[in-house]
Amino acid sequence: MVTHDAAHDQHAQAPSGWLRAYVFSVDHKVIGLQYLMTSMLFLLAGFGLMLLMRWQLAFPGQPIPIIGKLLSPSLAPNGVMTGEFYNALGAMHGTIMVFLGIVPLAVGAFGNYVLPLQIGAPDMAFPRLNMMSYWLYLPGGLLMLSSFILPGGAAQSGWTSYPPLSIINPGQTVWLLAMVIIITSSLLGAINFLVTTLNMRARGMSLWRMPVFVWAQLVTSVLLLLAFPPLEAAAVLQFMDRVAGTSFYIPSDLVVLGLRHRASGGGQPLLWQHLFWFLAHPEVYVLVLPPMGIVAEIMAANTRKPLHGYKTIVLGMISVGVMSFVVWAHHMFISGMSPILSNFFLVTTMIISVPSVAILTCLIYSLRGGSIRFTTPMLFALAFLPMFGIGGLTGLPLGLTATDIYLHDTYYVIGHFHYVVVTGSIIGLMAGVYHWFPKWFGRKMDDRLGRIHFWGTLLSMNGVFFPMFIMGMAGVSRRLWDPTAQAHNLTTQHLNVVSTASAYLLLLFQAPFIYNFFHSIFKGQKSEENPWQATTLEWACPSPPPHGNFEKPPCVYREPYDYSPRGCERDYIPQNVEAA
């Protein structure tokens, strides 16, 4: 542990100057807050694009109120959205929410700020690499957004960017360049998280004494490190197809508008699908595991008892991580793969649900016999359990070839995916914001506004996404600019109106959160060092923590969740308190 103590000495000196302290900072806490603010702005931008799409779906052919008049006639003549603009909104909504919103919030923000504190480290292992990761993420995100105003407009081929459509359509070149930059940023972060977790733990912090949140970030980092390089390579190949005349993905004799495509050769469009989904399915667990870790931390602190099945949860996360690399082709059942291959991926997809169910069961069973505190973060954590459960269960029919063939291109898929990453992941991340806000800013968020935000968000999210299951089972395609163009969709068109109204309500209920967040930074009730009486190490340093985090290197003497121990006056013993 000489290395750990020496690391504390190296980080004892605070940076001087405003730019070094707040802009080009190497402090993991400042970088975590930079990720927090930036990713929430991107989430808001991605949400705004979805609101425009929802208007078109509910009221096709009707002018968009207020904003429609401000849009270019090429995007919305007389305020009515064109099909090309709708496609661009869909592609950019998915890209922004996944790659610029949820992943940077879950990993870049929470991981950066909380992980070093929970393992008792003074900073990340590579602070400059950490800073570089953020300063690649921000320009990459701005480049992605800027495509709306560049010649050719934004990408229009969906967030999956399937060729040959993505090679023919305008706007895709900037999307590919931005993705390469964003992926590079994520890889730098993943390396840093792995090295930090394995080498910078405090004295006594064995692997089995690490909090669940740290385990979640560790597994997530491995997923990012192994899954992102194939997509980065795939993006470079697609970029070459677009600008250098290669044909990695362009089949021979491809005809576009009656003419043979100039670069048509012996390429294989399915190669992209394999490379994309090899990343994208582990990516789902990148979106889910950190919120699971957050929910576990909050549930332990608010039930005042140890987590049920701590090792089962950790082993479940590791199993999910390993299995996530052998299920990707269940997204491609309708691509014409052989029955033998599809049966293999059917079986692996069913198997991966076992550790996921085990984790969820442990979290639910942790509630049994607990002295539950219904705080705002606990409400969000409790809501995560059934919402993620719905997302997981509705995924099972998509893992079975027979049902997937019918449901694959319908709104059912949209409903399932959003129950996993919105009512699941984002609800979990919201819980984390309320839970660690006192640590970040030394003040608490207002509880009454938090409860308004919680109930409004939960109800309106379900209003947005639940009707999609019904529409999907009725056969409504998820790729239509105008749902009323097909007669069989008319019977469920009223559900599009319900979904759209709920989306605008969801926007309305974010207002209390935004006000509460920024008002509480400056005017919120001052918080003590450990307001939740929690046991993990981040609550053993001041709020907010100073540069270097701890006054002296902490030592760990016990498991992470020693709540309600027998024979103890208090109902918790922090990890850094030595046994009496």
Side-chain angles (χ1 to χ4, degrees):
M1 292 297 168
V2 173
T3 304
H4 178 74
D5 293 348
H8 273 273
D9 295 338
Q10 289 172 6
H11 291 85
Q13 189 67 38
S16 58
W18 186 80
L19 280 177
R20 288 293 307 277
Y22 297 107
V23 181
F24 299 108
S25 174
V26 294
D27 188 319
H28 73 100
K29 300 180 293 296
V30 176
I31 295 171
L33 293 179
Q34 287 174 328
Y35 266 109
L36 178 77
M37 299 296 184
T38 311
S39 58
M40 288 204 294
L41 284 174
F42 277 123
L43 278 178
L44 198 59
F47 183 46
L49 302 185
M50 184 273 280
L51 292 176
L52 290 175
M53 294 173 67
R54 288 257 33 115
W55 176 267
Q56 168 64 23
L57 291 170
F59 309 106
Q62 298 295 315
I64 306 167
I66 305 172
I67 297 176
K69 296 177 182 176
L70 306 177
L71 295 171
S72 160
S74 62
L75 303 176
N78 299 318
V80 179
M81 185 181 298
T82 63
E84 291 79 5
F85 186 40
Y86 177 86
N87 286 341
L89 292 176
M92 296 299 284
H93 165 71
T95 303
I96 291 171
M97 296 300 275
V98 171
F99 295 107
L100 298 175
I102 301 176
V103 173
L105 179 58
V107 181
F110 283 100
N112 250 309
Y113 202 108
V114 177
L115 184 144
L117 295 176
Q118 286 200 326
I119 63 172
D123 206 320
M124 300 293 276
F126 307 118
R128 286 180 175 77
L129 205 66
N130 205 18
M131 178 186 70
M132 189 186 301
S133 173
Y134 174 77
W135 282 106
L136 283 172
Y137 159 64
L138 179 60
L142 293 177
L143 178 63
M144 185 71 78
L145 275 184
S146 70
S147 62
F148 275 109
I149 58 173
L150 292 177
Q156 301 174 15
S157 308
W159 77 287
T160 53
S161 294
Y162 282 180
L165 188 65
S166 58
I167 295 169
I168 299 167
N169 269 346
Q172 190 71 20
T173 304
V174 174
W175 188 92
L176 291 166
L177 286 172
M179 283 301 295
V180 169
I181 297 171
I182 294 164
I183 291 171
T184 304
S185 161
S186 292
L187 291 176
L188 296 181
I191 293 168
N192 215 351
F193 279 42
L194 275 172
V195 177
T196 301
T197 307
L198 296 178
N199 290 321
M200 295 189 67
R201 284 171 283 128
R203 197 191 308 268
M205 177 67 83
S206 65
L207 290 177
W208 287 118
R209 284 180 172 175
M210 292 196 314
V212 170
F213 177 76
V214 176
W215 273 108
Q217 291 288 344
L218 182 64
V219 176
T220 299
S221 300
V222 175
L223 297 185
L224 286 171
L225 200 58
L226 297 180
F228 259 138
L231 182 63
E232 190 162 24
V236 171
L237 297 185
Q238 192 175 121
F239 180 81
M240 296 298 286
D241 274 7
R242 287 184 62 86
V243 303
T246 59
S247 58
F248 291 103
Y249 304 117
I250 306 178
S252 57
D253 300 324
L254 175 67
V255 176
V256 180
L257 299 177
L259 299 174
R260 185 175 183 272
H261 192 273
R262 62 177 176 83
S264 62
Q268 177 53 267
L270 279 180
L271 173 62
W272 169 268
Q273 292 193 34
H274 281 289
L275 293 171
F276 180 85
W277 287 114
F278 184 79
L279 161 276
H281 202 85
E283 176 80 358
V284 171
Y285 296 100
V286 169
L287 300 172
V288 166
L289 288 178
M292 269 185 179
I294 291 170
V295 167
E297 299 297 318
I298 293 170
M299 288 186 63
N302 286 280
T303 56
R304 315 308 294 167
K305 63 191 284 284
L307 283 176
H308 178 81
Y310 163 80
K311 288 189 177 180
T312 304
I313 294 174
V314 172
L315 292 174
M317 288 180 169
I318 296 171
S319 303
V320 163
V322 172
M323 288 297 298
S324 69
F325 287 103
V326 289
V327 297
W328 80 89
H330 73 234
H331 295 275
M332 301 167 58
F333 283 152
I334 62 169
S335 67
M337 69 173 65
S338 78
I340 296 174
L341 200 57
S342 63
N343 284 338
F344 170 79
F345 284 105
L346 183 156
V347 171
T348 56
T349 303
M350 293 301 111
I351 291 174
I352 200 174
S353 64
V354 175
S356 303
V357 170
I359 295 170
L360 203 58
T361 304
C362 287
L363 292 176
I364 293 171
Y365 206 77
S366 296
L367 298 170
R368 185 172 181 267
S371 303
I372 300 175
R373 298 172 175 175
F374 291 97
T375 60
T376 301
M378 185 60 171
L379 291 176
F380 278 96
L382 289 172
F384 172 89
L385 302 177
M387 294 298 104
F388 178 73
I390 294 172
L393 287 173
T394 53
L396 293 178
L398 300 174
L400 300 168
T401 48
T403 43
D404 180 69
I405 289 171
Y406 174 77
L407 293 171
H408 187 84
D409 270 334
T410 71
Y411 263 95
Y412 183 92
V413 176
I414 305 289
H416 153 68
F417 183 67
H418 283 81
Y419 261 93
V420 173
V421 302
V422 179
T423 59
S425 296
I426 291 183
I427 284 283
L429 295 173
M430 285 292 182
V433 170
Y434 284 99
H435 183 67
W436 279 304
F437 189 92
K439 181 55 58 182
W440 297 338
F441 301 108
R443 297 176 184 272
K444 275 187 169 183
M445 294 179 75
D446 183 83
D447 197 51
R448 183 171 57 88
L449 289 174
R451 289 168 188 273
I452 294 171
H453 174 224
F454 166 73
W455 286 110
T457 298
L458 183 68
L459 295 174
S460 52
M461 276 183 174
N462 279 281
V464 176
F465 302 120
F466 193 81
M468 294 180 182
F469 290 132
I470 302 171
M471 288 191 286
M473 287 187 284
V476 179
S477 170
R478 59 184 164 121
R479 303 185 194 279
L480 291 177
W481 163 66
D482 180 359
T484 61
Q486 294 179 339
H488 73 275
N489 296 341
L490 296 178
T491 55
T492 57
Q493 179 57 20
H494 65 284
L495 293 177
N496 260 324
V497 178
V498 172
S499 191
T500 296
S502 300
Y504 286 100
L505 273 177
L506 182 58
L507 173 67
L508 180 67
F509 280 109
Q510 302 318 297
F513 169 71
I514 294 170
Y515 172 79
N516 195 4
F517 185 90
F518 288 104
H519 181 265
S520 299
I521 290 176
F522 305 103
K523 302 287 185 181
Q525 179 189 349
K526 287 189 176 179
S527 170
E528 55 195 287
E529 187 173 285
N530 186 2
W532 310 115
Q533 292 87 45
T535 54
T536 43
L537 277 187
E538 77 271 29
W539 304 105
C541 60
S543 300
H547 190 74
N549 299 337
F550 301 90
E551 292 180 1
K552 60 179 182 179
C555 290
V556 172
Y557 299 99
R558 60 191 66 251
E559 312 306 319
Y561 308 111
D562 200 355
Y563 289 100
S564 303
R566 290 182 180 177
C568 183
E569 291 184 2
R570 294 190 303 181
D571 67 348
Y572 71 104
I573 305 180
Q575 278 190 291
N576 62 324
V577 172
E578 199 169 359

